[in-house]
Amino acid sequence: MVPALRYIRGACGPALGGFPGGFSSAGRPAPGRSWPLCQGGRPASTRSFDVVVIGGGIVGLASARALILRHPALSIGVLEKEKDLAIHQTGHNSGVIHSGIYYKPESLKAKLCVQGAALIYEYCKQKGISYKQCGKGLMAIDCPYTGIVDYRQVALSFAKDFQEAGGFVLTNFEVKDIELAKESPSRSKDGMKYPIVIRNTKGEEVQCQYVVTCAGLYSDRISELSGCNPDPRIVPFRGDYLILKPEKCYLVKGNIYPVPDSRFPFLGVHFTPRMDGSIWLGPNAVLAFKREGYRPFDFSARDIMDVIIKSGLIKLVFQNFSYGVNEMYKACFLSATVKHLQKFIPEITVSDILRGPAGVRAQALDRDGNLVEDFVFDGGVGDIGNRILHVRNAPSPAATSSLAISGMIADEVQQRFKL
């Protein structure tokens, strides 16, 4: 039978896939191996880790990489609910390496963005990952430090680093429960205890000492599963992009951004060159009716009820009604978006653009309807809460800041868990 859990090598291309099982002398799988499953999908041995990272996006992978490079003797695993890594927010973003000029001075977001951009450029140079430092600004504020990169390629490189250092990635592992072991915790050869049980939707489980969650669009639900505070709630906002036709791409030489509205975390309609030579225009910002709803009519009743009942969305709508209506209008009518684009490049017409991809942003919202603009890290209390660190809100520019965020998370894990 094909195992439900797959081990992913993390490299791009044909290296992705499952591999035969095998164990190290400590009772854990040897690096580069999958966990063997017996008939019926039951684990052949208790799967135990010192630290488990929930979430295989760019922040989760960067954090796992930082932890194992700092603590090479620890057994560290990454759990990802999809069959592949970094396919949601990481795989649907604009690819911009932000400079940090938009963000509130002295905020954590501003500091981590500036640090992270420098680290991303250096990392890409070391790993031979293609990027372009194409700048931002034309007859306005010029920001030459802004660049572009394929962040999924960066995330997969993080995964490769992590696995080459001895880490493990388990895909097809959608977390359903996080609880204390009901029986005596499993013990490794040195007698170390693993009191936390993480179970997936198929009934498979792993045990660990400590947990770091980087669950993006599901960060509030994962926190609630662990018995921690579900607030701030995540509200999904879809951003639809347009694509400039190839014959018109000569009009855009670098990133062109408007001055953002300080009331919102969204940067407004802008021009974004891509590594493949295409030009993305947009995005708008409209409520998504599903947490992973990349199409306008994707719908989840549970996701919508959570947004309406548990978050402060209704208050946000009343406070910013005209803005929301304008975003919905732009989503429906290309001419409305083109009108905004013509403020920067008057030559662009409706016939020059095509509808393109979309992404969904995990935006934290408090119960008073306030957008949580900065990064939020917290834990909980009790036997489980004291062993968990939640990355609750990692909005744009989280991809740019990923290496800086991972260093901060590694510091917090080391201090909180006394590693």
Side-chain angles (χ1 to χ4, degrees):
M1 64 176 289
V2 177
L5 294 175
R6 282 205 309 156
Y7 174 79
I8 295 293
R9 271 204 182 279
C12 296
L16 295 176
F19 292 85
F23 283 92
S24 66
S25 59
R28 307 186 184 105
R33 302 286 184 163
S34 65
W35 290 99
L37 300 179
C38 295
Q39 290 186 354
R42 299 296 297 173
S45 177
T46 300
R47 289 165 287 188
S48 56
F49 298 98
D50 298 310
V51 180
V52 162
V53 177
I54 297 176
I58 194 168
V59 173
L61 293 170
S63 299
R65 173 183 176 272
L67 285 169
I68 204 163
L69 292 179
R70 189 176 297 189
H71 305 282
L74 296 183
S75 174
I76 301 176
V78 171
L79 307 181
E80 166 55 42
K81 73 183 182 71
E82 304 292 354
K83 66 177 182 178
D84 294 311
L85 298 170
I87 65 172
H88 288 297
Q89 290 190 98
T90 304
H92 287 82
N93 66 34
S94 64
V96 174
I97 302 174
H98 292 281
S99 64
I101 63 172
Y102 299 111
Y103 312 117
K104 184 178 179 180
E106 301 302 316
S107 68
L108 193 57
K109 183 184 284 191
K111 291 178 181 179
L112 293 177
C113 184
V114 173
Q115 295 170 10
L119 292 170
I120 282 288
Y121 280 129
E122 183 60 30
Y123 182 83
C124 289
K125 289 176 185 176
Q126 290 177 355
K127 296 294 182 177
I129 297 173
S130 298
Y131 69 92
K132 295 179 183 176
Q133 194 169 327
C134 51
K136 184 187 302 180
L138 178 66
M139 296 175 64
I141 296 175
D142 183 26
C143 184
Y145 199 59
T146 298
I148 55 174
V149 73
D150 181 340
Y151 277 119
R152 184 160 190 261
Q153 184 180 2
V154 174
L156 293 178
S157 183
F158 290 165
K160 184 179 179 182
D161 294 344
F162 170 65
Q163 290 167 307
E164 287 178 348
F168 303 91
V169 174
L170 296 176
T171 57
N172 284 328
F173 198 106
E174 183 174 358
V175 175
K176 181 182 179 182
D177 294 305
I178 303 174
E179 60 186 16
L180 290 175
K182 292 183 173 62
E183 301 175 358
S184 297
S186 62
R187 296 174 181 269
S188 66
K189 189 174 181 180
D190 61 2
M192 188 176 292
K193 295 182 179 180
Y194 301 91
I196 296 180
V197 176
I198 303 174
R199 191 172 296 108
N200 69 9
T201 53
K202 301 180 182 72
E204 299 155 339
E205 62 184 46
V206 299
Q207 290 185 233
C208 62
Q209 286 200 88
Y210 305 107
V211 182
V212 178
T213 73
C214 302
L217 286 158
Y218 295 91
S219 61
D220 53 345
R221 289 184 184 170
I222 293 295
S223 179
E224 197 167 16
L225 279 179
S226 70
C228 297
N229 191 347
D231 295 320
R233 294 285 181 175
I234 294 297
V235 176
F237 284 93
R238 193 182 75 252
D240 301 302
Y241 281 94
L242 304 174
I243 298 177
L244 195 61
K245 288 183 177 179
E247 61 268 24
K248 292 291 185 175
C249 287
Y250 72 91
L251 292 171
V252 180
K253 307 299 183 184
N255 291 277
I256 304 174
Y257 279 56
V259 175
D261 188 329
S262 61
R263 295 174 298 169
F264 306 102
F266 314 114
L267 297 178
V269 175
H270 49 269
F271 299 74
T272 304
R274 300 281 293 177
M275 290 301 298
D276 61 5
S278 62
I279 305 295
W280 285 11
L281 316 173
N284 56 6
V286 296
L287 178 67
F289 299 117
K290 185 179 180 181
R291 294 205 179 198
E292 293 162 358
Y294 300 108
R295 297 170 298 184
F297 298 106
D298 286 343
F299 180 83
S300 165
R302 180 187 177 187
D303 290 349
I304 288 301
M305 292 304 293
D306 276 357
V307 165
I308 294 173
I309 296 173
K310 297 180 180 180
S311 78
L313 179 69
I314 301 301
K315 294 180 181 179
L316 177 69
V317 169
F318 279 113
Q319 294 166 6
N320 305 280
F321 184 76
S322 61
Y323 179 88
V325 170
N326 185 50
E327 290 299 296
M328 291 294 292
Y329 183 76
K330 286 192 295 183
C332 296
F333 299 99
L334 291 181
S335 58
T337 302
V338 170
K339 191 173 182 180
H340 284 270
L341 296 171
Q342 287 172 337
K343 295 178 181 178
F344 305 95
I345 302 181
E347 298 93 328
I348 289 180
T349 65
V350 173
S351 62
D352 295 328
I353 60 176
L354 303 169
R355 289 197 179 273
V360 179
R361 174 184 184 141
Q363 178 60 55
L365 191 67
D366 69 23
R367 290 187 176 273
D368 293 324
N370 299 311
L371 297 168
V372 181
E373 297 185 22
D374 219 343
F375 298 99
V376 176
F377 309 103
D378 66 19
V381 295
D383 292 333
I384 293 182
N386 287 331
R387 292 177 174 267
I388 290 184
L389 174 66
H390 294 294
V391 180
R392 303 300 306 278
N393 189 45
S396 178
T400 301
S401 309
S402 55
L403 286 172
I405 293 172
S406 69
M408 183 176 180
I409 289 172
D411 290 340
E412 184 66 23
V413 167
Q414 185 169 335
Q415 179 179 357
R416 187 179 293 243
F417 303 146
K418 312 297 182 188
L419 296 182

